[in-house]
Structures are given as C-alpha cells and as structure tokens.
Amino acid sequence: MRKRTWKLVCMECRAEYSGTSPRYRCECGGMLDVIHDIHAHRGHLDVKKWNDRRYSHNETDRSGVWRFREIVLPVHYEMVVTRCEGNTNLYGSPRIARFTGMDNILLKHEGENPTGSFKDRGMSAGLTAAKMLGMTQVACASTGNSAAAMASYAATAGMQAIVFVPEGTVAMGKLHQSLAYGARTIQIPCDFDRLLRLVEDACLAGGVYLLNSMNPFRFEGEKTIGYELLQDLGWQVPDWVVVPGGNLGHSAALAKGFRELYDLRLIGRMPRIAVIQAAGANPFYTAFRSRNPVAPLAKVSTFAAAIAVGNPYSWKKSLRGLKDTDGLVEEVSDREILDAKLAVDAAGIGAESASCATVAGIRKLVDSGTIKKGELVCGILTGHLLKDLDTVINYHQGRLGELSAGHVNPLLRAAADTDSILEIIRNVD
Ligand code: F0G
C-alpha cells in the first residue's frame, strides 16, 4: 500500500489526527488543516506532470483540482467526485485596465466552473472526502453558491444533500440550482451567521457530514485556484492576487496553497493576497486595521448578498495567510462594487456582484498607491453573471434606488412593425 502523505493538524495546538473518520475540529476547539508531507513530495513533484495532465483525455487528470491531486488529497481515483471543475479563463481587458488604472490586470473567472462559482473546487474535494469516509448524507449552510455546488456534487456522487439558506436573501438562481440538483432545500428565518452555527450543531448531533468552512478538505479544493492561475501564467508569480472576502475560506485556502508550492520550491516567492470586503459587512477589515480579533457584526448590509457575512468562520486561517503573504484587507462601498460590476459586465466578461468587489478593491488599492500601476495583478471573479439576475435587471430598469443613478441600459420595447423597429435602431446611441 502507498504511504499516506497527509494528516489533519490543529492550527492552534498542533495536535494531529489521521483524518480517517469525520472530524471538523480539534479537541481544543481549533480549526484543522490538511497537512501534506512536503518532504516526501519534494523533488518528486514537478510542474511538467501537472501541465501535461491539462491535455489528458481523462476527466480526473484534466480537472483543475485533481490534476494537482498529490497535494490535494491523494486517494484512489474511483473515490474522486469530479465534474472536471476548474479550467477557467484568465482574461485581460483594456477596459478593466482603464477602470482600475493598471497596466497589467488579469481576471480569473471562477464563475466558469460547472455550477457557476469557485465553490465547485472545494465541493469536489469535500464530496471526495465524504465518499472516502463512507458518508451518505451531506449538508451545508450557505448564501447560495456553496449550496448549489454541494447539491450538484452530491448528486454526482449519489449522496443525499441537505441545504440550509437564510430565508429571503438568497438569489433565486442559486435556490433554483439547489432544488434542480435534488437537494433538500430548507430556508431558515435568520441571517447566515446564525444559520451556520445552528446547522453545525444540528449536523454534529445528527451525524450528517458537514461541508461548511469547518471542513478542512474544502480548502484543499479551493486552493487550486491559485495553482491553476500560476499554471495559466506559465508559473510566473503575480505580485498580487485579489479576492472578495465573506466567510474567508477562499483567501485562507489560496494562501495555504501558495505556501505549499513555495515549500516545495516550485515557486520562488509568494504573491501578496488582498481580501476585499463590502463596507457593510466588514468585520475582517476592521479587525485587520486595528490589529484586534474579529468582533462579529450584529447586522450586515450589502447588495452583494454572497459576502454578507458578519461573523466569518475562517478569519483566523485567513489572517494567518495574510501574514504569510504580506497581504492586506480593504473595504469597498456598495456604490464601488456596483461601478466595478458595470465595468466587468460591459467589458463582455460579466460576473456576480460579490465577485466584483475584487475589481472595486483593485481600483481603490491602485488609487491609494498600495498596488503599483506596473505590478502584475490577478483578480479572482468568484461567481457567474447569471447568479445575480435581479441585480442586473433592477439596476438597468432604474429600480435600485440611489444605486441606479448613472448609466442604465434599460430594456426597450418596440411595436411589431418595421417602422417602429427602424425608429429604435436610428435612436440607439
Ligand atoms: N464570492 C462569492 C460569489 C461567494 O459566493 C462567496 C461566498 C465569496 C465570494 C466569499 O468567499 O466566504 O470564502 O470568503 N459564499 C458563501 C456561500 C458564503 O455560502 O456560498 P469566502
């Protein structure tokens, strides 16, 4: 049998666990990391193997998660639950360069994953872990995207999915996905922060496998965004990688992944990570600036509902990652997020509102001189434009209140005759 090259380690007290039975936390309460035996891999892993897999006929090889499987979760290939996630595009756009004031900006569009968000990578790893552990039921609390991803990957694995969402704030498109993929979908009348803690308690008591941020395997999938990004760049390390921050798993995962590549000597330096929060849901920004622990917010307010999180679960892991990468946290207003969204959409790329906090943040950090114009910046767009239909329609119909001021592209109507259509064509500006 092959030697096992990973274990679970507590980020607080360094206690170790084999990971062969379901476990989300250490006995001391600390969060767990999947720690790979870098020494066992050093010298045996090379980027050529990972590059070659990209062009394989085998779906698992081609997956943007499993092509890096040696340092994701080395399991028998029959255990892998994949929809060939990843393989997302990296866009350069003169329009976005102008908008942000940068020479070199690239946007990796994780909304191009199978269910339309970066969550597919983490859920591919999470469902694989569930299968490895012999689980049959999985659950998560979600602002919508994790739920859609979990529902799809559970269906792929033949497992039952139970999804919990805060009532009334989840975009209809995301709810549709959970229902369509066959998940039991339950709305609870409270905000996401309370929901997450309630679901954790209930699932632990009920023996359902939890796939929220307390699950260490999800980070292993999400970190591959960074691996694939480097691969897209021919293993050139960008100066900055910029991501939106909600529950803060994504930023933590990216930093962990870069650290591993650095320790494997596959990259010679680490990119700096910038986490961008909505100003109305900014506990991590406040904590980072004041060098204090996160103080949960009782109320959050942002139209970017995917990142409306007041008590981020993974802030300690994210902070560790920022320290390790000389990173930082910035906040942006809803107006700034919306302006960035209009620019990303009008560039022909399009993305979910929360994703566009990335671009708004880059613009702000360039303005303040933190990011230098000539540096290479990669922003992660986390969700697809179609996740957020109401925002787009309401904005362009002038129904977003103060936020609708500015350029709108209203839906037009003409009578069903040639003259009316010609009239419209002549007046298009
Ligand atoms: N962008 C999108 C589109 C998201 O859906 C999320 C999180 C984030 C950014 C923030 O990522 O939480 O790792 O900092 N959505 C979660 C969900 C909360 O349930 O789908 P994070």
Side-chain angles (χ1 to χ4, degrees):
M1 210 167 100
R2 248 186 311 161
K3 188 173 163 277
R4 202 123 176 279
T5 53
W6 61 274
K7 60 193 168 200
L8 299 181
V9 179
C10 172
M11 72 173 288
E12 308 284 349
C13 74
R14 311 305 300 165
E16 296 184 4
Y17 300 90
S18 68
T20 47
S21 56
R23 172 170 279 284
Y24 312 99
R25 283 186 174 281
C26 178
E27 292 297 330
C28 81
M31 287 183 83
L32 299 170
D33 288 305
V34 176
I35 297 293
H36 299 276
D37 184 349
I38 296 296
H39 289 294
H41 288 305
R42 203 182 274 153
H44 302 289
L45 279 181
D46 63 275
V47 296
K48 185 178 176 309
K49 178 156 53 179
W50 291 338
N51 287 346
D52 290 347
R53 283 182 186 155
R54 219 171 179 171
Y55 306 102
S56 162
H57 292 293
N58 179 295
E59 192 183 41
T60 305
D61 277 352
R62 236 175 29 253
S63 154
V65 170
W66 298 101
R67 103 173 57 114
F68 307 104
R69 54 187 168 264
E70 291 86 353
I71 50 169
V72 170
L73 193 59
V75 289
H76 192 275
Y77 75 95
E78 282 180 358
M79 286 292 154
V80 172
V81 182
T82 180
R83 289 193 56 199
C84 206
E85 48 291 317
N87 296 299
T88 57
N89 282 304
L90 186 63
Y91 294 103
S93 157
R95 194 170 188 142
I96 300 301
R98 271 198 307 280
F99 178 80
T100 52
M102 287 297 295
D103 293 334
N104 278 313
I105 176 167
L106 295 167
L107 297 175
K108 186 154 180 70
H109 206 328
E110 286 293 303
E112 294 173 352
N113 269 292
T115 78
S117 87
F118 74 104
K119 302 286 184 182
D120 288 347
R121 293 182 187 257
M123 287 301 177
S124 178
L127 264 299
T128 298
K131 195 165 163 182
M132 172 183 84
L133 296 169
M135 307 306 288
T136 54
Q137 263 189 331
V138 291
C140 74
S142 174
T143 56
N145 281 328
S146 292
M150 190 190 77
S152 165
Y153 280 81
T156 305
M159 282 183 219
Q160 189 186 50
I162 313 173
V163 152
F164 297 90
V165 292
E167 190 167 21
T169 55
V170 175
M172 217 15 107
K174 299 177 187 177
L175 267 186
H176 262 94
Q177 287 182 289
S178 288
L179 293 171
Y181 294 133
R184 283 266 173 266
T185 306
I186 301 149
Q187 307 183 73
I188 310 275
C190 65
D191 64 17
F192 172 75
D193 296 304
R194 179 155 159 70
L195 180 66
L196 185 54
R197 274 83 189 164
L198 284 174
V199 168
E200 181 174 6
D201 291 347
C203 288
L204 288 180
V208 181
Y209 194 58
L210 254 178
L211 282 170
N212 272 116
S213 315
M214 66 289 283
N215 188 308
F217 296 105
R218 278 194 50 198
F219 292 78
E220 298 311 289
E222 286 185 10
K223 74 185 183 188
T224 63
I225 299 171
Y227 295 174
E228 194 180 283
L229 170 65
L230 289 167
Q231 200 168 28
D232 296 338
L233 294 169
W235 300 95
Q236 176 196 359
V237 179
D239 297 297
W240 292 90
V241 176
V242 185
V243 294
N247 218 14
L248 300 171
H250 182 196
S251 46
L254 280 175
K256 178 179 188 290
F258 289 134
R259 162 53 62 182
E260 288 162 347
L261 291 189
Y262 183 82
D263 287 346
L264 280 164
R265 303 195 181 122
L266 295 177
I267 54 173
R269 68 184 173 94
M270 307 258 270
R272 298 180 71 183
I273 293 179
V275 176
I276 314 299
Q277 291 212 292
N282 65 353
F284 193 45
Y285 170 79
T286 311
F288 187 83
R289 292 285 150 140
S290 62
R291 295 170 188 269
N292 283 318
V294 161
L297 296 178
K299 234 182 149 33
V300 289
S301 159
T302 171
F303 81 105
I307 51 171
V309 180
N311 190 8
Y313 210 95
S314 302
W315 73 267
K316 284 188 182 169
K317 278 191 176 180
S318 185
L319 183 63
R320 176 185 67 185
L322 293 189
K323 285 185 177 157
D324 202 29
T325 62
D326 191 20
L328 53 82
V329 191
E330 184 54 275
E331 64 169 359
V332 286
S333 67
D334 274 8
R335 176 77 257 167
E336 289 168 319
I337 298 175
L338 188 63
D339 286 344
K341 175 167 167 57
L342 294 173
V344 172
D345 291 355
I349 298 171
E352 166 171 6
S353 305
S355 304
C356 298
T358 293
V359 174
I362 294 171
R363 187 188 212 195
K364 194 161 174 186
L365 290 168
V366 173
D367 262 3
S368 68
T370 310
I371 293 181
K372 306 282 177 291
K373 193 175 160 60
E375 290 184 307
L376 175 56
V377 175
C378 296
I380 310 295
L381 297 177
T382 44
H384 197 279
L385 170 69
L386 293 175
K387 290 277 191 176
D388 224 5
L389 295 178
D390 290 350
T391 304
V392 176
I393 297 285
N394 286 336
Y395 175 80
H396 290 293
Q397 298 296 93
R399 292 198 296 252
L400 276 193
E402 274 178 19
L403 287 179
S404 274
H407 169 80
V408 287
N409 187 12
L411 192 58
L412 305 176
R413 183 170 188 283
D417 63 70
T418 313
D419 286 347
S420 305
I421 293 172
L422 253 182
E423 168 85 14
I424 290 251
I425 291 175
R426 291 200 175 113
N427 287 316
V428 165
D429 50 20

